[in-house]
């Protein structure tokens, strides 16, 4: 079923996605805020059951670690139905460049995953560099990254998001903010991104689910990443408004 236009809601609840064979859903701002499940989100996930796929620009977790974390909040979503920008970026690199020397500006979870995929983390002379949401990013990491790029390393950026909504409603810096600092040092920076608004994560979710675009719904809170990705993929889009912007009742978007 293809919607005539994006539907806007203030919160998720059971039954909203009953008409779709697959429900692709963003994480922060839709299902959770920080370490808290958003109102109605657990019921929404239960109503979707195995039709629900997490498609997120998260570049700190792996599917396995996120599945475990969501379970503590009442969600039952196995790793096989979770697609994350950081993890997918590493898997793409491992497929394209087996055994590559990789510079990681990323979390410890992604470093462990890189090693398990046969990649070799290094701090100099890298073949490729991955910029993800690195909790230890600072001047030292920024300087190292500039040097490996000057040495000819390919740059892959997990996602372009500048921020994501924090548990207190304030913005939390994201990978795109780190990218902006790198671009300030290296103005002619060239790179490729994996996360939304690119469609790779959505396409992979639909492939795994065995559905066509007309049978899928994408649920997201950011029209500049989620909305554009859904439009590019030809998928109906359900826009979840941030609480501060929420207006009463569902309304059709223009």
């Amino acid at each position: 079923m293809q919607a005539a236009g994006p539907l806007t809601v203030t919160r998720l609840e059971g039954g909203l996605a009953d008409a779709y064979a697959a429900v692709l859903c963003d994480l922060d701002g839709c299902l959770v805020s920080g370490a808290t499940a958003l109102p109605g989100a657990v019921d929404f996930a239960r109503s979707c059951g195995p039709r629900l796929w997490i498609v997120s620009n998260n570049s700190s977790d792996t599917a396995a670690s996120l599945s475990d974390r969501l379970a503590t909040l009442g969600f039952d979503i196995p790793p096989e139905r979770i697609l994350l920008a950081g993890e997918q970026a590493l898997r793409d690199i491992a497929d394209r460049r087996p055994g590559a020397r990789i510079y990681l500006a990323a979390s410890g979870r992604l470093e462990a995953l890189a090693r398990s995929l046969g990649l070799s983390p290094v701090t100099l002379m890298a073949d490729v560099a991955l910029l993800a949401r690195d909790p230890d990013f600072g001047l030292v990491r920024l300087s190292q990254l500039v040097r490996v790029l000057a040495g000819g390393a390919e740059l892959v950026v997990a996602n372009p998001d500048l921020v994501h909504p924090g548990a207190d409603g304030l913005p939390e810096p994201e990978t795109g903010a780190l990218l902006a600092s790198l671009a300030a040092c290296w103005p002619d920076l060239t790179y490729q991104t994996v996360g939304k608004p690119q469609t790779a994560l959505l396409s992979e979710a639909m492939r795994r689910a065995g559905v066509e675009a007309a049978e899928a719904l994408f649920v997201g809170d950011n029209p500049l990443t989620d909305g554009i990705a859904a439009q590019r993929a030809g998928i109906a889009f359900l826009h979840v408004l941030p609480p501060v912007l929420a207006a009463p009742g569902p309304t059709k978007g223009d």
Side-chain angles (χ1 to χ4, degrees), residues 25-187:
C25 190
D26 185 39
L27 183 65
D28 290 295
C30 291
L31 298 180
V32 303
S33 178
T36 303
L38 288 171
V42 172
D43 287 341
F44 174 77
R46 288 174 179 163
S47 73
C48 292
R51 296 179 298 125
L52 181 65
W53 297 76
I54 301 299
V55 178
S56 169
N57 276 359
N58 177 307
S59 62
S60 302
D61 285 286
T62 63
S65 69
L66 182 58
S67 178
D68 289 343
R69 180 155 62 88
L70 289 175
T72 68
L73 302 180
F75 297 97
D76 181 15
I77 307 173
E80 294 76 18
R81 288 195 277 115
I82 297 176
L83 292 97
L84 306 177
E87 178 170 358
Q88 193 61 44
L90 277 178
R91 294 189 182 280
D92 290 348
I93 291 168
D95 286 344
R96 290 190 296 108
R97 308 187 72 159
R101 296 168 299 172
I102 185 168
Y103 181 88
L104 288 167
S107 68
R109 294 186 189 96
L110 290 192
E111 181 175 350
L113 176 61
R115 294 183 187 278
S116 75
L117 293 172
L119 299 170
S120 299
V122 296
T123 55
L124 292 171
M125 305 295 291
D127 302 308
V128 59
L130 173 65
L131 177 60
R133 189 170 187 267
D134 180 2
D136 297 321
F137 196 86
L139 291 177
V140 172
R141 190 64 57 87
L142 179 59
S143 179
Q144 290 176 340
L145 193 49
V146 167
R147 280 160 176 74
V148 298
L149 295 178
E154 171 194 2
L155 177 62
V156 177
V157 179
N159 62 288
D161 302 64
L162 294 172
V163 297
H164 72 254
D168 57 2
L170 295 175
E172 289 285 342
E174 256 291 352
T175 308
L178 309 185
L179 177 62
S181 68
L182 178 59
C185 300
W186 197 268

